[in-house]
PDB file of all heavy atoms in Angstrom:
ATOM      1  N   VAL A   1       7.699 -52.688 -17.516  1.00  0.00           N
ATOM      2  CA  VAL A   1       7.574 -51.253 -17.274  1.00  0.00           C
ATOM      3  C   VAL A   1       8.779 -50.837 -16.377  1.00  0.00           C
ATOM      4  O   VAL A   1       9.087 -51.472 -15.383  1.00  0.00           O
ATOM      5  CB  VAL A   1       6.278 -50.925 -16.582  1.00  0.00           C
ATOM      6  CG1 VAL A   1       6.163 -49.424 -16.271  1.00  0.00           C
ATOM      7  CG2 VAL A   1       5.099 -51.381 -17.517  1.00  0.00           C
ATOM      8  N   TYR A   2       9.423 -49.780 -16.775  1.00  0.00           N
ATOM      9  CA  TYR A   2      10.599 -49.266 -16.043  1.00  0.00           C
ATOM     10  C   TYR A   2      10.288 -47.793 -15.594  1.00  0.00           C
ATOM     11  O   TYR A   2       9.741 -46.940 -16.251  1.00  0.00           O
ATOM     12  CB  TYR A   2      11.810 -49.222 -16.936  1.00  0.00           C
ATOM     13  CG  TYR A   2      12.201 -50.611 -17.623  1.00  0.00           C
ATOM     14  CD1 TYR A   2      11.625 -50.920 -18.791  1.00  0.00           C
ATOM     15  CD2 TYR A   2      13.066 -51.418 -16.976  1.00  0.00           C
ATOM     16  CE1 TYR A   2      11.874 -52.143 -19.353  1.00  0.00           C
ATOM     17  CE2 TYR A   2      13.357 -52.641 -17.587  1.00  0.00           C
ATOM     18  CZ  TYR A   2      12.758 -52.996 -18.723  1.00  0.00           C
ATOM     19  OH  TYR A   2      13.129 -54.194 -19.355  1.00  0.00           O
ATOM     20  N   LYS A   3      10.785 -47.583 -14.368  1.00  0.00           N
ATOM     21  CA  LYS A   3      10.753 -46.237 -13.815  1.00  0.00           C
ATOM     22  C   LYS A   3      11.938 -45.421 -14.287  1.00  0.00           C
ATOM     23  O   LYS A   3      13.159 -45.959 -14.172  1.00  0.00           O
ATOM     24  CB  LYS A   3      10.738 -46.246 -12.299  1.00  0.00           C
ATOM     25  CG  LYS A   3      10.585 -44.759 -11.697  1.00  0.00           C
ATOM     26  CD  LYS A   3      10.639 -44.797 -10.175  1.00  0.00           C
ATOM     27  CE  LYS A   3      10.547 -43.366  -9.649  1.00  0.00           C
ATOM     28  NZ  LYS A   3      10.724 -43.229  -8.217  1.00  0.00           N
ATOM     29  N   ILE A   4      11.757 -44.270 -14.946  1.00  0.00           N
ATOM     30  CA  ILE A   4      12.879 -43.509 -15.418  1.00  0.00           C
ATOM     31  C   ILE A   4      12.941 -42.207 -14.555  1.00  0.00           C
ATOM     32  O   ILE A   4      11.969 -41.379 -14.556  1.00  0.00           O
ATOM     33  CB  ILE A   4      12.727 -43.147 -16.910  1.00  0.00           C
ATOM     34  CG1 ILE A   4      12.780 -44.420 -17.698  1.00  0.00           C
ATOM     35  CG2 ILE A   4      13.792 -42.132 -17.386  1.00  0.00           C
ATOM     36  CD1 ILE A   4      12.616 -44.266 -19.212  1.00  0.00           C
ATOM     37  N   ASP A   5      14.007 -41.994 -13.801  1.00  0.00           N
ATOM     38  CA  ASP A   5      14.155 -40.945 -12.935  1.00  0.00           C
ATOM     39  C   ASP A   5      14.733 -39.681 -13.545  1.00  0.00           C
ATOM     40  O   ASP A   5      14.517 -38.582 -13.141  1.00  0.00           O
ATOM     41  CB  ASP A   5      14.992 -41.361 -11.663  1.00  0.00           C
ATOM     42  CG  ASP A   5      14.369 -42.479 -10.898  1.00  0.00           C
ATOM     43  OD1 ASP A   5      13.196 -42.247 -10.412  1.00  0.00           O
ATOM     44  OD2 ASP A   5      14.941 -43.521 -10.710  1.00  0.00           O
ATOM     45  N   SER A   6      15.536 -39.924 -14.585  1.00  0.00           N
ATOM     46  CA  SER A   6      16.241 -38.786 -15.202  1.00  0.00           C
ATOM     47  C   SER A   6      16.705 -39.140 -16.674  1.00  0.00           C
ATOM     48  O   SER A   6      16.690 -40.294 -17.016  1.00  0.00           O
ATOM     49  CB  SER A   6      17.470 -38.340 -14.315  1.00  0.00           C
ATOM     50  OG  SER A   6      18.385 -39.344 -14.265  1.00  0.00           O
ATOM     51  N   LEU A   7      17.163 -38.144 -17.280  1.00  0.00           N
ATOM     52  CA  LEU A   7      17.756 -38.304 -18.656  1.00  0.00           C
ATOM     53  C   LEU A   7      19.229 -37.903 -18.646  1.00  0.00           C
ATOM     54  O   LEU A   7      19.587 -36.872 -18.193  1.00  0.00           O
ATOM     55  CB  LEU A   7      17.000 -37.391 -19.688  1.00  0.00           C
ATOM     56  CG  LEU A   7      17.490 -37.309 -21.059  1.00  0.00           C
ATOM     57  CD1 LEU A   7      17.274 -38.603 -21.804  1.00  0.00           C
ATOM     58  CD2 LEU A   7      16.950 -36.185 -21.882  1.00  0.00           C
ATOM     59  N   VAL A   8      19.981 -38.738 -19.280  1.00  0.00           N
ATOM     60  CA  VAL A   8      21.492 -38.447 -19.581  1.00  0.00           C
ATOM     61  C   VAL A   8      21.671 -38.348 -21.015  1.00  0.00           C
ATOM     62  O   VAL A   8      21.339 -39.284 -21.768  1.00  0.00           O
ATOM     63  CB  VAL A   8      22.400 -39.535 -18.973  1.00  0.00           C
ATOM     64  CG1 VAL A   8      23.843 -39.242 -19.284  1.00  0.00           C
ATOM     65  CG2 VAL A   8      22.208 -39.559 -17.344  1.00  0.00           C
ATOM     66  N   LEU A   9      22.137 -37.205 -21.541  1.00  0.00           N
ATOM     67  CA  LEU A   9      22.370 -36.956 -22.942  1.00  0.00           C
ATOM     68  C   LEU A   9      23.795 -36.986 -23.281  1.00  0.00           C
ATOM     69  O   LEU A   9      24.608 -36.264 -22.603  1.00  0.00           O
ATOM     70  CB  LEU A   9      21.668 -35.592 -23.320  1.00  0.00           C
ATOM     71  CG  LEU A   9      21.875 -35.255 -24.768  1.00  0.00           C
ATOM     72  CD1 LEU A   9      21.153 -36.155 -25.674  1.00  0.00           C
ATOM     73  CD2 LEU A   9      21.361 -33.740 -25.020  1.00  0.00           C
ATOM     74  N   GLU A  10      24.220 -37.735 -24.267  1.00  0.00           N
ATOM     75  CA  GLU A  10      25.615 -37.871 -24.690  1.00  0.00           C
ATOM     76  C   GLU A  10      25.764 -37.345 -26.081  1.00  0.00           C
ATOM     77  O   GLU A  10      24.957 -37.630 -26.963  1.00  0.00           O
ATOM     78  CB  GLU A  10      26.169 -39.315 -24.621  1.00  0.00           C
ATOM     79  CG  GLU A  10      26.193 -39.843 -23.175  1.00  0.00           C
ATOM     80  CD  GLU A  10      26.803 -41.269 -23.114  1.00  0.00           C
ATOM     81  OE1 GLU A  10      27.139 -41.791 -24.183  1.00  0.00           O
ATOM     82  OE2 GLU A  10      27.021 -41.749 -21.951  1.00  0.00           O
ATOM     83  N   ASN A  11      26.807 -36.526 -26.312  1.00  0.00           N
ATOM     84  CA  ASN A  11      27.144 -35.935 -27.632  1.00  0.00           C
ATOM     85  C   ASN A  11      26.223 -34.914 -28.118  1.00  0.00           C
ATOM     86  O   ASN A  11      26.242 -34.569 -29.258  1.00  0.00           O
ATOM     87  CB  ASN A  11      27.259 -37.090 -28.726  1.00  0.00           C
ATOM     88  CG  ASN A  11      28.252 -38.205 -28.392  1.00  0.00           C
ATOM     89  OD1 ASN A  11      29.193 -37.923 -27.658  1.00  0.00           O
ATOM     90  ND2 ASN A  11      27.943 -39.392 -28.723  1.00  0.00           N
ATOM     91  N   GLY A  12      25.406 -34.330 -27.248  1.00  0.00           N
ATOM     92  CA  GLY A  12      24.473 -33.253 -27.593  1.00  0.00           C
ATOM     93  C   GLY A  12      25.246 -31.972 -27.603  1.00  0.00           C
ATOM     94  O   GLY A  12      25.265 -31.273 -26.564  1.00  0.00           O
ATOM     95  N   LYS A  13      25.786 -31.535 -28.767  1.00  0.00           N
ATOM     96  CA  LYS A  13      26.509 -30.317 -28.900  1.00  0.00           C
ATOM     97  C   LYS A  13      25.705 -29.090 -29.257  1.00  0.00           C
ATOM     98  O   LYS A  13      25.961 -27.999 -28.795  1.00  0.00           O
ATOM     99  CB  LYS A  13      27.693 -30.517 -29.874  1.00  0.00           C
ATOM    100  CG  LYS A  13      28.654 -31.645 -29.460  1.00  0.00           C
ATOM    101  CD  LYS A  13      29.719 -31.929 -30.535  1.00  0.00           C
ATOM    102  CE  LYS A  13      30.637 -33.074 -30.166  1.00  0.00           C
ATOM    103  NZ  LYS A  13      31.629 -33.330 -31.257  1.00  0.00           N
ATOM    104  N   ILE A  14      24.747 -29.340 -30.116  1.00  0.00           N
ATOM    105  CA  ILE A  14      23.913 -28.199 -30.656  1.00  0.00           C
ATOM    106  C   ILE A  14      22.607 -28.113 -29.844  1.00  0.00           C
ATOM    107  O   ILE A  14      22.203 -26.989 -29.487  1.00  0.00           O
ATOM    108  CB  ILE A  14      23.609 -28.380 -32.063  1.00  0.00           C
ATOM    109  CG1 ILE A  14      24.925 -28.509 -32.927  1.00  0.00           C
ATOM    110  CG2 ILE A  14      22.685 -27.258 -32.612  1.00  0.00           C
ATOM    111  CD1 ILE A  14      24.622 -28.787 -34.405  1.00  0.00           C
ATOM    112  N   TYR A  15      21.922 -29.282 -29.575  1.00  0.00           N
ATOM    113  CA  TYR A  15      20.658 -29.332 -28.954  1.00  0.00           C
ATOM    114  C   TYR A  15      20.853 -29.935 -27.482  1.00  0.00           C
ATOM    115  O   TYR A  15      21.361 -31.092 -27.399  1.00  0.00           O
ATOM    116  CB  TYR A  15      19.627 -30.097 -29.739  1.00  0.00           C
ATOM    117  CG  TYR A  15      19.576 -29.590 -31.198  1.00  0.00           C
ATOM    118  CD1 TYR A  15      20.270 -30.197 -32.223  1.00  0.00           C
ATOM    119  CD2 TYR A  15      18.746 -28.475 -31.420  1.00  0.00           C
ATOM    120  CE1 TYR A  15      20.173 -29.675 -33.459  1.00  0.00           C
ATOM    121  CE2 TYR A  15      18.647 -27.938 -32.722  1.00  0.00           C
ATOM    122  CZ  TYR A  15      19.383 -28.576 -33.731  1.00  0.00           C
ATOM    123  OH  TYR A  15      19.206 -28.076 -34.958  1.00  0.00           O
ATOM    124  N   GLY A  16      20.404 -29.170 -26.525  1.00  0.00           N
ATOM    125  CA  GLY A  16      20.707 -29.599 -25.126  1.00  0.00           C
ATOM    126  C   GLY A  16      19.646 -30.586 -24.581  1.00  0.00           C
ATOM    127  O   GLY A  16      18.639 -30.972 -25.266  1.00  0.00           O
ATOM    128  N   LYS A  17      19.767 -30.770 -23.324  1.00  0.00           N
ATOM    129  CA  LYS A  17      18.960 -31.757 -22.594  1.00  0.00           C
ATOM    130  C   LYS A  17      17.473 -31.307 -22.550  1.00  0.00           C
ATOM    131  O   LYS A  17      16.524 -32.084 -22.773  1.00  0.00           O
ATOM    132  CB  LYS A  17      19.405 -31.962 -21.172  1.00  0.00           C
ATOM    133  CG  LYS A  17      18.562 -32.916 -20.286  1.00  0.00           C
ATOM    134  CD  LYS A  17      19.356 -33.069 -18.963  1.00  0.00           C
ATOM    135  CE  LYS A  17      18.530 -33.938 -17.986  1.00  0.00           C
ATOM    136  NZ  LYS A  17      19.178 -34.070 -16.640  1.00  0.00           N
ATOM    137  N   ASN A  18      17.236 -29.983 -22.295  1.00  0.00           N
ATOM    138  CA  ASN A  18      15.836 -29.475 -22.253  1.00  0.00           C
ATOM    139  C   ASN A  18      15.093 -29.591 -23.613  1.00  0.00           C
ATOM    140  O   ASN A  18      13.914 -29.922 -23.654  1.00  0.00           O
ATOM    141  CB  ASN A  18      15.807 -28.085 -21.731  1.00  0.00           C
ATOM    142  CG  ASN A  18      16.184 -27.936 -20.339  1.00  0.00           C
ATOM    143  OD1 ASN A  18      16.017 -28.922 -19.513  1.00  0.00           O
ATOM    144  ND2 ASN A  18      16.775 -26.729 -19.828  1.00  0.00           N
ATOM    145  N   TYR A  19      15.889 -29.332 -24.698  1.00  0.00           N
ATOM    146  CA  TYR A  19      15.304 -29.456 -26.039  1.00  0.00           C
ATOM    147  C   TYR A  19      14.873 -30.842 -26.245  1.00  0.00           C
ATOM    148  O   TYR A  19      13.756 -31.161 -26.746  1.00  0.00           O
ATOM    149  CB  TYR A  19      16.366 -29.027 -27.059  1.00  0.00           C
ATOM    150  CG  TYR A  19      15.939 -29.284 -28.560  1.00  0.00           C
ATOM    151  CD1 TYR A  19      15.271 -28.308 -29.180  1.00  0.00           C
ATOM    152  CD2 TYR A  19      16.297 -30.449 -29.138  1.00  0.00           C
ATOM    153  CE1 TYR A  19      14.811 -28.539 -30.492  1.00  0.00           C
ATOM    154  CE2 TYR A  19      15.829 -30.719 -30.478  1.00  0.00           C
ATOM    155  CZ  TYR A  19      15.096 -29.762 -31.170  1.00  0.00           C
ATOM    156  OH  TYR A  19      14.757 -29.970 -32.375  1.00  0.00           O
ATOM    157  N   VAL A  20      15.746 -31.859 -25.869  1.00  0.00           N
ATOM    158  CA  VAL A  20      15.460 -33.302 -26.076  1.00  0.00           C
ATOM    159  C   VAL A  20      14.254 -33.720 -25.273  1.00  0.00           C
ATOM    160  O   VAL A  20      13.277 -34.431 -25.827  1.00  0.00           O
ATOM    161  CB  VAL A  20      16.687 -34.138 -25.737  1.00  0.00           C
ATOM    162  CG1 VAL A  20      16.281 -35.635 -25.655  1.00  0.00           C
ATOM    163  CG2 VAL A  20      17.804 -33.916 -26.726  1.00  0.00           C
ATOM    164  N   LEU A  21      14.135 -33.336 -24.055  1.00  0.00           N
ATOM    165  CA  LEU A  21      12.984 -33.633 -23.180  1.00  0.00           C
ATOM    166  C   LEU A  21      11.696 -33.104 -23.712  1.00  0.00           C
ATOM    167  O   LEU A  21      10.688 -33.792 -23.778  1.00  0.00           O
ATOM    168  CB  LEU A  21      13.236 -33.112 -21.753  1.00  0.00           C
ATOM    169  CG  LEU A  21      14.202 -33.823 -20.795  1.00  0.00           C
ATOM    170  CD1 LEU A  21      14.461 -33.053 -19.611  1.00  0.00           C
ATOM    171  CD2 LEU A  21      13.681 -35.235 -20.444  1.00  0.00           C
ATOM    172  N   GLY A  22      11.857 -31.798 -24.235  1.00  0.00           N
ATOM    173  CA  GLY A  22      10.594 -31.225 -24.792  1.00  0.00           C
ATOM    174  C   GLY A  22      10.138 -31.870 -26.067  1.00  0.00           C
ATOM    175  O   GLY A  22       8.895 -32.152 -26.160  1.00  0.00           O
ATOM    176  N   LYS A  23      10.986 -32.185 -27.005  1.00  0.00           N
ATOM    177  CA  LYS A  23      10.636 -32.845 -28.257  1.00  0.00           C
ATOM    178  C   LYS A  23      10.023 -34.217 -27.983  1.00  0.00           C
ATOM    179  O   LYS A  23       9.245 -34.740 -28.719  1.00  0.00           O
ATOM    180  CB  LYS A  23      11.824 -32.806 -29.211  1.00  0.00           C
ATOM    181  CG  LYS A  23      12.174 -31.530 -29.732  1.00  0.00           C
ATOM    182  CD  LYS A  23      11.022 -30.851 -30.497  1.00  0.00           C
ATOM    183  CE  LYS A  23      11.352 -29.493 -31.142  1.00  0.00           C
ATOM    184  NZ  LYS A  23      10.197 -28.847 -31.762  1.00  0.00           N
ATOM    185  N   MET A  24      10.656 -34.956 -27.014  1.00  0.00           N
ATOM    186  CA  MET A  24      10.241 -36.255 -26.750  1.00  0.00           C
ATOM    187  C   MET A  24       8.890 -36.317 -25.988  1.00  0.00           C
ATOM    188  O   MET A  24       8.214 -37.282 -25.959  1.00  0.00           O
ATOM    189  CB  MET A  24      11.278 -37.014 -25.937  1.00  0.00           C
ATOM    190  CG  MET A  24      12.504 -37.392 -26.727  1.00  0.00           C
ATOM    191  SD  MET A  24      13.750 -38.207 -25.656  1.00  0.00           S
ATOM    192  CE  MET A  24      12.871 -39.687 -25.131  1.00  0.00           C
ATOM    193  N   GLY A  25       8.670 -35.188 -25.214  1.00  0.00           N
ATOM    194  CA  GLY A  25       7.460 -35.218 -24.349  1.00  0.00           C
ATOM    195  C   GLY A  25       7.676 -36.096 -23.114  1.00  0.00           C
ATOM    196  O   GLY A  25       6.717 -36.691 -22.621  1.00  0.00           O
ATOM    197  N   LEU A  26       8.962 -36.219 -22.663  1.00  0.00           N
ATOM    198  CA  LEU A  26       9.285 -37.016 -21.616  1.00  0.00           C
ATOM    199  C   LEU A  26       9.296 -36.189 -20.219  1.00  0.00           C
ATOM    200  O   LEU A  26       9.944 -35.228 -20.148  1.00  0.00           O
ATOM    201  CB  LEU A  26      10.653 -37.672 -21.789  1.00  0.00           C
ATOM    202  CG  LEU A  26      11.178 -38.604 -20.650  1.00  0.00           C
ATOM    203  CD1 LEU A  26      10.342 -39.716 -20.326  1.00  0.00           C
ATOM    204  CD2 LEU A  26      12.646 -38.989 -20.877  1.00  0.00           C
ATOM    205  N   ARG A  27       8.570 -36.815 -19.302  1.00  0.00           N
ATOM    206  CA  ARG A  27       8.611 -36.125 -17.935  1.00  0.00           C
ATOM    207  C   ARG A  27       9.268 -37.089 -17.062  1.00  0.00           C
ATOM    208  O   ARG A  27       9.047 -38.362 -17.153  1.00  0.00           O
ATOM    209  CB  ARG A  27       7.211 -35.780 -17.505  1.00  0.00           C
ATOM    210  CG  ARG A  27       6.478 -34.724 -18.236  1.00  0.00           C
ATOM    211  CD  ARG A  27       5.161 -34.327 -17.688  1.00  0.00           C
ATOM    212  NE  ARG A  27       4.545 -33.264 -18.362  1.00  0.00           N
ATOM    213  CZ  ARG A  27       3.404 -32.766 -18.025  1.00  0.00           C
ATOM    214  NH1 ARG A  27       2.763 -33.150 -16.923  1.00  0.00           N
ATOM    215  NH2 ARG A  27       2.855 -31.718 -18.794  1.00  0.00           N
ATOM    216  N   THR A  28      10.061 -36.613 -16.141  1.00  0.00           N
ATOM    217  CA  THR A  28      10.732 -37.503 -15.183  1.00  0.00           C
ATOM    218  C   THR A  28      10.415 -37.014 -13.819  1.00  0.00           C
ATOM    219  O   THR A  28      10.331 -35.841 -13.550  1.00  0.00           O
ATOM    220  CB  THR A  28      12.283 -37.474 -15.387  1.00  0.00           C
ATOM    221  OG1 THR A  28      12.720 -36.041 -15.312  1.00  0.00           O
ATOM    222  CG2 THR A  28      12.709 -38.042 -16.718  1.00  0.00           C
ATOM    223  N   PRO A  29      10.223 -37.993 -12.825  1.00  0.00           N
ATOM    224  CA  PRO A  29      10.241 -39.409 -13.040  1.00  0.00           C
ATOM    225  C   PRO A  29       8.881 -39.854 -13.730  1.00  0.00           C
ATOM    226  O   PRO A  29       7.870 -39.189 -13.525  1.00  0.00           O
ATOM    227  CB  PRO A  29      10.372 -39.961 -11.642  1.00  0.00           C
ATOM    228  CG  PRO A  29       9.731 -38.927 -10.806  1.00  0.00           C
ATOM    229  CD  PRO A  29      10.053 -37.560 -11.410  1.00  0.00           C
ATOM    230  N   SER A  30       8.925 -41.027 -14.450  1.00  0.00           N
ATOM    231  CA  SER A  30       7.785 -41.554 -15.014  1.00  0.00           C
ATOM    232  C   SER A  30       7.985 -43.052 -15.391  1.00  0.00           C
ATOM    233  O   SER A  30       9.114 -43.491 -15.293  1.00  0.00           O
ATOM    234  CB  SER A  30       7.375 -40.857 -16.242  1.00  0.00           C
ATOM    235  OG  SER A  30       8.387 -40.913 -17.326  1.00  0.00           O
ATOM    236  N   MET A  31       6.921 -43.724 -15.583  1.00  0.00           N
ATOM    237  CA  MET A  31       7.040 -45.229 -15.871  1.00  0.00           C
ATOM    238  C   MET A  31       6.889 -45.378 -17.455  1.00  0.00           C
ATOM    239  O   MET A  31       5.988 -44.757 -18.047  1.00  0.00           O
ATOM    240  CB  MET A  31       5.812 -45.951 -15.279  1.00  0.00           C
ATOM    241  CG  MET A  31       5.759 -45.814 -13.703  1.00  0.00           C
ATOM    242  SD  MET A  31       7.274 -46.250 -12.854  1.00  0.00           S
ATOM    243  CE  MET A  31       7.182 -48.055 -12.965  1.00  0.00           C
ATOM    244  N   GLN A  32       7.904 -46.125 -17.944  1.00  0.00           N
ATOM    245  CA  GLN A  32       7.951 -46.269 -19.430  1.00  0.00           C
ATOM    246  C   GLN A  32       8.194 -47.662 -19.794  1.00  0.00           C
ATOM    247  O   GLN A  32       8.797 -48.474 -18.966  1.00  0.00           O
ATOM    248  CB  GLN A  32       9.019 -45.332 -20.006  1.00  0.00           C
ATOM    249  CG  GLN A  32       8.796 -43.880 -19.716  1.00  0.00           C
ATOM    250  CD  GLN A  32       7.654 -43.248 -20.345  1.00  0.00           C
ATOM    251  OE1 GLN A  32       7.066 -43.759 -21.326  1.00  0.00           O
ATOM    252  NE2 GLN A  32       7.282 -42.098 -19.870  1.00  0.00           N
ATOM    253  N   THR A  33       7.845 -48.107 -21.014  1.00  0.00           N
ATOM    254  CA  THR A  33       8.302 -49.331 -21.564  1.00  0.00           C
ATOM    255  C   THR A  33       9.228 -49.011 -22.755  1.00  0.00           C
ATOM    256  O   THR A  33       9.374 -47.852 -23.165  1.00  0.00           O
ATOM    257  CB  THR A  33       7.083 -50.121 -22.198  1.00  0.00           C
ATOM    258  OG1 THR A  33       6.461 -49.377 -23.272  1.00  0.00           O
ATOM    259  CG2 THR A  33       5.972 -50.371 -21.116  1.00  0.00           C
ATOM    260  N   TYR A  34       9.912 -50.114 -23.240  1.00  0.00           N
ATOM    261  CA  TYR A  34      10.723 -49.760 -24.438  1.00  0.00           C
ATOM    262  C   TYR A  34       9.944 -49.263 -25.612  1.00  0.00           C
ATOM    263  O   TYR A  34      10.384 -48.448 -26.401  1.00  0.00           O
ATOM    264  CB  TYR A  34      11.519 -51.109 -24.846  1.00  0.00           C
ATOM    265  CG  TYR A  34      12.845 -51.191 -24.120  1.00  0.00           C
ATOM    266  CD1 TYR A  34      12.806 -51.818 -22.790  1.00  0.00           C
ATOM    267  CD2 TYR A  34      14.018 -50.759 -24.659  1.00  0.00           C
ATOM    268  CE1 TYR A  34      14.040 -51.966 -22.124  1.00  0.00           C
ATOM    269  CE2 TYR A  34      15.195 -50.837 -23.983  1.00  0.00           C
ATOM    270  CZ  TYR A  34      15.244 -51.415 -22.688  1.00  0.00           C
ATOM    271  OH  TYR A  34      16.411 -51.576 -22.056  1.00  0.00           O
TER     272      TYR A  34
END
């Protein structure tokens, strides 16, 4: 289990960080596995 404090998005030209977080349902910080 890994603690994820934030999200870094690379090459996101059309869809931004907030879109990605929303579609994934990811909240930071949170504990996650692969």
Side-chain angles (χ1 to χ4, degrees):
V1 179
Y2 304 87
K3 183 183 179 186
I4 295 179
D5 297 303
S6 60
L7 172 73
V8 173
L9 178 65
E10 294 185 356
N11 304 326
K13 299 175 182 177
I14 302 174
Y15 305 97
K17 180 177 174 179
N18 289 336
Y19 175 87
V20 170
L21 285 168
K23 289 299 180 183
M24 290 177 61
L26 173 63
R27 294 185 178 183
T28 56
S30 63
M31 306 299 291
Q32 303 292 342
T33 65
Y34 271 86

